[in-house]
Amino acid sequence: MIRIIEPRFSEEEKLAINGILESHQITRGEWTKRFEEEFARYLGVKHAFTVCSGTVALFIALKAIGVEGKKVVVPAMSFMATIDAVLLAGGIPIVIDVDEYYTMDVSQLEHVAKRYKPVVALPVHLYGQTANMEDILYLSERYGFLVLEDAAQAHGAEYKGKKAGALGHISAFSFYASKNVPMGEGGVIATDDDALAKQVKKWIDFGDHPAFNVRITEFQAAIGSIQLKYLDEKNRRRRQIAKRYEEHFNGHLTTPSEREGAYHVYHLYTLRHTQRDRIIQHLKDRGIDARIYYTYLLNEIRDAEHMPLERATRFKKEVFSIPVHPYLTDDEVDYIIESVLSAAQVLIT
């Protein structure tokens, strides 16, 4: 089976893990401090705080802002953690449609901003591409809400020369095993805002109020630090594979478009077709892992208030993702291309 996601680790990580074991400092040590500093520097922000997951990163960012009893705008298409974090933090989610890039619909955001006066908009940089942050930030200034980026799938992505995670007021990352920077589990809250950073720290450190232990271990931090060194190189390989897919699939299926000014890092390469279930089965029969991200809209799984979701409702029935990870060989890419085209041309015609 050609896996859709395949994290790999080197002797460098193994040596680091052994060094941590020998040091007996397995948590709250130099690796954690180093990773936080390196990740903040990579994004171009002043503050990066490690936590145990992307969901917790979103939750703490929302608690730091103060969303209890207040409206938070989220897009319909995302992993469920996006809306769950809002609910766990006491916020009231309002779900809006997505644009043709699978990210937050700006026109609906403005309508909701006028009608509901939210405290936060939570754009998701889905599949590795940034949302329309220029217009979202304009609306943020006009209507007085903060912007929390869900950058869980966008390590290294850019919008107009700035890294995802450094575009809004605050951001949240995941380092789950499937992500472009995998460390098994883990997350980061990043911000350039000193006041928000101070509030985040209160939710990470014990003392000010009842709290959970949300720390990562030195093992995770070491893996993350080493993986971060090679992130840009691996993202370039993802983009190289995506370019080949585009060249062959365009005209047969709906391929992902790159937003003007964006740098897509293809955490997932997501196609669309009205007969996607048949294509997926054909690919699985040929030993290629293909999956649907996601089979639900956020309002459906948590019964949230929502706007008309015309695009998201249609996309949900058509999207599927194929392998694009940087360890694919050229022969495997050729095989995937041939298999997708045979499905589109033979099964569907």
Side-chain angles (χ1 to χ4, degrees):
M1 177 69 73
I2 300 176
R3 298 171 61 184
I4 196 163
I5 291 161
E6 187 170 323
R8 291 189 186 179
F9 307 99
S10 66
E11 286 300 315
E12 196 171 356
E13 282 100 341
K14 293 175 185 177
L15 287 170
I17 296 301
N18 285 334
I20 293 165
L21 290 171
E22 291 169 2
S23 75
H24 306 292
Q25 181 74 46
I26 63 173
T27 188
R28 304 180 77 177
E30 287 302 311
W31 277 108
T32 300
K33 180 182 177 183
R34 173 175 163 180
F35 180 67
E36 289 178 340
E37 291 173 349
E38 288 172 347
F39 199 72
R41 188 162 53 249
Y42 179 79
L43 297 183
V45 300
K46 289 189 283 187
H47 308 282
F49 302 95
T50 52
V51 291
C52 56
S53 73
T55 310
V56 168
L58 284 169
F59 168 78
I60 290 177
L62 289 161
K63 294 298 284 188
I65 292 168
V67 301
E68 191 162 355
K70 300 172 183 176
K71 304 293 196 303
V72 178
V73 186
V74 300
M77 292 182 70
S78 183
F79 180 57
M80 64 183 68
T82 302
I83 195 167
D84 286 353
V86 175
L87 294 168
L88 289 167
I92 303 168
I94 306 294
V95 179
I96 66 173
D97 208 359
V98 296
D99 58 21
E100 64 269 32
Y101 303 99
Y102 310 115
T103 61
M104 182 173 276
D105 183 303
V106 172
S107 61
Q108 278 199 2
L109 175 59
E110 181 164 26
H111 172 75
V112 167
K114 291 176 182 176
R115 180 176 173 183
Y116 292 98
K117 296 182 173 43
V119 294
V120 181
L122 210 170
V124 179
H125 304 320
L126 198 67
Y127 305 142
Q129 175 156 242
T130 57
N132 181 358
M133 293 301 292
E134 184 174 44
D135 289 349
I136 291 171
L137 289 168
Y138 167 77
L139 294 176
S140 164
E141 291 183 14
R142 183 172 182 182
Y143 295 103
F145 57 81
L146 295 183
V147 178
L148 163 58
E149 300 171 69
D150 183 336
Q153 299 185 9
H155 305 169
E158 296 181 7
Y159 183 71
K160 298 195 173 179
K162 289 186 71 174
K163 287 281 192 295
L167 296 161
H169 300 94
I170 191 168
S171 63
F173 286 84
S174 167
F175 301 109
Y176 180 66
S178 66
K179 298 301 190 286
N180 291 30
V181 174
M183 60 168 69
E185 300 284 355
V188 152
I189 305 143
T191 184
D192 216 28
D193 186 305
D194 293 338
L196 280 175
K198 184 176 180 181
Q199 292 303 314
V200 167
K201 202 166 182 343
K202 287 181 180 179
W203 283 95
I204 292 175
D205 295 338
F206 285 97
D208 284 352
H209 46 66
F212 295 104
N213 177 359
V214 298
R215 290 189 289 268
I216 63 170
T217 67
E218 285 287 274
F219 304 114
Q220 293 162 280
I223 291 170
S225 182
I226 293 164
Q227 289 283 322
L228 183 62
K229 289 198 298 183
Y230 305 104
L231 173 61
D232 289 344
E233 175 188 338
K234 291 177 181 178
N235 282 344
R236 285 192 290 271
R237 174 58 177 163
R238 289 175 182 270
R239 287 176 59 83
Q240 182 185 59
I241 296 167
K243 184 178 179 181
R244 292 198 58 206
Y245 286 163
E246 169 68 20
E247 290 169 351
H248 287 87
F249 298 155
N250 192 21
H252 301 280
L253 304 96
T254 302
T255 55
S257 300
E258 188 169 55
R259 185 188 305 281
E260 183 178 356
Y263 184 84
H264 199 319
V265 294
Y266 296 98
H267 168 64
L268 293 166
Y269 189 88
T270 300
L271 294 159
R272 291 206 330 266
H273 199 287
T274 55
Q275 297 294 321
R276 64 101 185 271
D277 292 342
R278 295 177 68 189
I279 296 175
I280 289 172
Q281 187 57 55
H282 177 77
L283 295 176
K284 288 184 179 297
D285 289 345
R286 300 194 68 174
I288 298 167
D289 192 6
R291 303 185 190 183
I292 301 168
Y293 298 95
Y294 296 95
T295 59
Y296 52 80
L297 303 183
L298 295 187
N299 58 289
E300 295 171 339
I301 58 168
R302 297 297 178 253
D303 193 27
E305 186 169 354
H306 61 90
M307 295 295 103
L309 305 174
E310 181 180 348
R311 287 195 195 90
T313 299
R314 174 162 51 91
F315 294 166
K316 179 190 74 168
K317 300 172 184 177
E318 299 178 356
V319 293
F320 69 102
S321 301
I322 60 174
V324 73
H325 63 77
Y327 306 109
L328 291 171
T329 66
D330 288 342
D331 286 345
E332 287 174 327
V333 173
D334 288 339
Y335 181 68
I336 292 167
I337 290 169
E338 187 272 324
S339 299
V340 171
L341 289 177
S342 70
Q345 293 171 347
V346 176
L347 288 177
I348 310 306
T349 56

